[in-house]
Amino acid sequence: MTTGALLLIGASSADLSWDAIDWQTAERYVRRLQMRIAKATRARRWGKVQALQRLLTHSFAAKLLAVRRVVRNRGRHTAGVDGVIWTTSRQKINAARSLRRRGYRPQPLRRLYIPKKNGKQRPLGIPTQFDRAMQALYLLALEPVAETQADPNSYGFRPKRSCADAIGQCFIALSQKHSAQWILEGDIRACFDQISHAWLVDHIPMDKVVLRKWLAAGYMEEGIVHPTESGTPQGGIASPTLANMVLDGLERVAVMAAPKNQKVHVVKYADDFVITGASREVLETKVKPAVEAFLRERGLELSAEKTAITHIDDGFDFLGFNVRKYAGKLLITPAKASVKTFLGDIRLFIKSNKTVKTEHLIRSLNRKIVGWTNYYRHVVAKRTFTYVDHHLFLMLLAWINRRHPNKSNQWKRERYFRYRGRRDWVFYADSHDQQGNKSILDLRQAALVAIVRHIKIRAAATPYDPAFIDYFARRKRSKRVNPLAWYGTVLDANVSD
């Protein structure tokens, strides 16, 4: 019997190897079921949705994909309260076979705390790998429903969407002369911790028995199990989708609360959102009360310290970007706080690697620079990139002087810097590959990153609608990385900073 056939019938007793699995067959089978679930959702045939979800969550192909997601994600080496980590082929196959609804009892989450920007601690729940796989399995069946019902301008934790899309929608809503001038900056207080369990059970279209068990699993801290009476834990695979579904409908409520022609637009990313309006009075007396009532039904409330109404000429920060009009022209730039945080992290990293090899330092810095600049390369960021390069250069000079206090400036320059084309003071190191071949490794320069405007995703687009299959295929081809991007070639002749 073929591997593909084993995936479809269950392979409960087959001698199946993890490395021999035909993943394309598994993905095609699950995708067909997901497309059928989305179709039934659009037709509001909820009995059909439930039957197809059950078929998907009981399929061996979906169970294999769920386990693969757990063992491939960034937290694959982090165990839950049971201390179990799946590493071998046999462990992964057995884990997939053991994903059953009958007799399932999730274990408490391991509670950790991560620092927030305001100095407070954010609680993070770490499920066991088995519970993560169960969440991934049921998320395969829930996501087509969530995507079909999602707000058009919701961009956080959704497939094929990103922060760049959310910022692109801000530009569309605010860039014209006749655009809205006022913005309600919304932030939900402790969103993941305060969501009403009763609302989730009543409104989330998934297996209610499994959902109730997730919500009641509790968490373990210092050896003591604490019950959970509200919220969906941060750290769970299904938690972002559940939170998105709780907030779906916010866009419609905000738009309907205001009179016509008040230029009300909603841009939402997870629990952060902005709402535009033609006047402060409309946002304060019409839209904000409607949003508060919407959230109250779900056990949520706005954060008083982070929610504000701002004029576009004063600008606002959203997702690490600053959005502001200067003399009537909208400019979106990296937020000052984000630049400060990035440079602070770089400074700490360099100081903590006083004796590391120059090659290793450059490789680590390049990864950080590439990641940060790619996030901001779609906006007006050239001047900010130059500013970052300047401060990074000063940090590296301090690093060199600390390593060689008795060497001359000429020696230091010849040892650590070189010329390349029209550029001088290029920080570099000799590099060697596994075969022993020697090459030169340069530090990336942020200012050489080309500014390429992001093409925002269509608001109604979803990967579970056949009407958008060709659209996403074209979009994927257009987003391929251009090899000239790192060396200053502006790909769009009309783009400049």
Side-chain angles (χ1 to χ4, degrees):
M1 187 175 295
T2 65
T3 303
L6 290 173
L7 294 177
L8 302 184
I9 65 174
S12 59
S13 60
D15 187 14
L16 183 64
S17 171
W18 185 262
D19 297 328
I21 293 173
D22 185 353
W23 292 110
Q24 290 186 347
T25 299
E27 289 169 352
R28 283 195 299 267
Y29 177 76
V30 170
R31 177 47 66 106
R32 283 196 297 268
L33 283 177
Q34 290 178 317
M35 298 293 278
R36 293 174 64 189
I37 291 172
K39 182 179 179 180
T41 302
R42 289 191 294 272
R44 305 190 68 80
R45 298 177 60 189
W46 299 114
K48 184 72 170 178
V49 170
Q50 187 176 7
L52 290 170
Q53 285 181 324
R54 186 182 186 281
L55 181 61
L56 191 152
T57 55
H58 283 72
S59 70
F60 190 58
K63 294 177 180 180
L64 288 171
L65 291 176
V67 172
R68 185 179 69 163
R69 176 170 180 173
V70 172
V71 299
R72 290 175 63 176
N73 67 12
R74 294 176 60 184
R76 61 187 178 276
H77 300 303
T78 304
V81 295
D82 60 354
V84 174
I85 298 176
W86 299 328
T87 55
T88 68
S89 172
R90 180 54 51 197
Q91 288 175 325
K92 298 170 187 176
I93 294 295
N94 289 339
R97 290 172 178 158
S98 63
L99 296 179
R100 298 188 184 93
R101 177 182 184 272
R102 178 175 295 181
Y104 170 59
R105 293 187 63 182
Q107 298 190 58
L109 286 75
R110 183 161 67 94
R111 174 60 64 91
L112 299 176
Y113 291 92
I114 57 177
K116 298 172 65 174
K117 292 182 180 179
N118 58 8
K120 298 181 180 179
Q121 297 286 319
R122 183 191 304 276
L124 183 67
I126 308 297
T128 65
Q129 291 210 330
F130 184 84
D131 290 333
R132 279 178 247 174
M134 284 293 286
Q135 289 192 29
L137 174 63
Y138 279 85
L139 181 59
L140 289 172
L142 180 62
E143 191 171 75
V145 182
E147 278 297 294
T148 303
Q149 295 184 317
D151 286 349
N153 291 299
S154 171
Y155 299 97
F157 303 110
R158 292 183 58 189
K160 310 295 184 181
R161 299 189 177 217
S162 66
C163 291
D165 292 309
I167 294 301
Q169 181 60 26
C170 289
F171 183 84
I172 292 172
L174 296 166
S175 61
Q176 301 299 320
K177 289 184 179 179
H178 60 270
S179 297
Q181 299 294 303
W182 292 90
I183 301 94
L184 170 63
E185 304 174 62
D187 183 271
I188 303 172
R189 186 177 69 85
C191 178
F192 283 84
D193 298 328
Q194 301 299 326
I195 297 173
S196 167
H197 283 183
W199 194 96
L200 286 169
V201 173
D202 290 342
H203 294 86
I204 300 299
M206 64 168 288
D207 190 312
K208 306 298 183 182
V209 173
V210 174
L211 179 58
R212 286 192 182 95
K213 289 181 178 180
W214 287 350
L215 299 176
Y219 64 92
M220 181 176 291
E221 186 174 13
E222 297 181 353
I224 301 175
V225 178
H226 302 268
T228 50
E229 299 178 354
S230 64
T232 174
Q234 296 189 58
I237 289 177
S239 295
T241 300
L242 293 176
N244 272 342
M245 298 185 76
V246 169
L247 298 177
D248 284 336
L250 176 66
E251 185 171 347
R252 178 178 56 83
V253 166
V255 172
M256 293 183 64
K260 291 184 179 180
N261 302 321
Q262 291 300 306
K263 304 173 184 176
V264 175
H265 299 277
V266 179
V267 184
K268 178 162 61 72
Y269 192 96
D271 58 340
D272 293 329
F273 61 89
V274 294
I275 304 176
T276 68
S279 68
R280 184 185 186 96
E281 290 72 24
V282 166
L283 292 177
E284 196 160 23
T285 63
K286 300 292 185 180
V287 175
K288 186 177 179 182
V291 170
E292 289 174 334
F294 172 87
L295 296 175
R296 198 176 302 117
E297 294 178 4
R298 293 151 174 78
L300 302 172
E301 62 180 351
L302 292 175
S303 170
E305 61 182 18
K306 295 184 180 179
T307 301
I309 298 178
T310 310
H311 195 274
I312 189 60
D313 289 345
D314 297 324
F316 63 95
D317 289 350
F318 184 53
L319 303 178
F321 297 84
N322 180 261
V323 184
R324 183 179 176 183
K325 272 189 175 179
Y326 298 83
K329 182 178 181 180
L330 185 74
L331 297 181
I332 302 177
T333 60
K336 290 182 179 179
S338 299
V339 177
K340 182 178 179 181
T341 299
F342 175 69
L343 290 176
D345 292 341
I346 292 291
R347 183 177 292 105
L348 181 62
F349 176 79
I350 292 176
K351 285 185 176 180
S352 62
N353 286 273
K354 298 177 182 179
T355 59
V356 72
K357 287 186 177 180
T358 308
E359 176 188 356
H360 297 161
L361 179 70
I362 292 177
R363 291 191 186 279
S364 298
L365 289 176
N366 281 348
R367 285 193 293 269
K368 295 177 182 293
I369 295 170
V370 168
W372 192 81
T373 53
N374 278 345
Y375 185 75
Y376 290 107
R377 66 183 300 178
H378 309 296
V379 299
V380 184
K382 188 67 72 176
R383 183 176 296 177
T384 302
F385 289 170
T386 302
Y387 176 85
V388 167
D389 282 335
H390 171 69
H391 282 269
L392 182 56
F393 175 75
L394 296 180
M395 295 176 202
L396 290 173
L397 283 183
W399 181 80
I400 294 170
N401 290 331
R402 186 166 48 241
R403 287 165 68 99
H404 308 286
N406 298 322
K407 296 291 186 179
S408 67
N409 291 336
Q410 182 66 25
W411 183 93
K412 296 172 186 176
R413 173 164 183 163
E414 294 175 354
R415 171 66 177 80
Y416 288 100
F417 297 95
R418 75 183 188 95
Y419 294 91
R420 189 181 71 195
R422 295 182 178 181
R423 290 181 57 205
D424 54 5
W425 294 95
V426 177
F427 190 69
Y428 84 103
D430 293 329
S431 176
H432 299 82
D433 59 19
Q434 295 180 349
Q435 287 73 35
N437 299 320
K438 184 178 178 180
S439 61
I440 295 177
L441 178 65
D442 289 339
L443 180 72
R444 297 285 195 182
Q445 188 172 0
L448 293 183
V449 176
I451 302 300
V452 184
R453 298 301 182 225
H454 177 75
I455 301 175
K456 191 190 82 70
I457 192 172
R458 294 181 189 173
T462 166
Y464 299 108
D465 189 340
F468 291 102
I469 291 178
D470 291 339
Y471 167 75
F472 280 112
R474 293 193 304 271
R475 187 173 174 84
K476 183 178 181 180
R477 289 194 297 269
S478 68
K479 292 178 69 175
R480 289 174 180 169
V481 177
N482 191 303
L484 298 177
W486 258 109
Y487 290 96
T489 300
V490 178
L491 306 184
D492 185 343
N494 296 321
V495 174
S496 66
D497 280 336

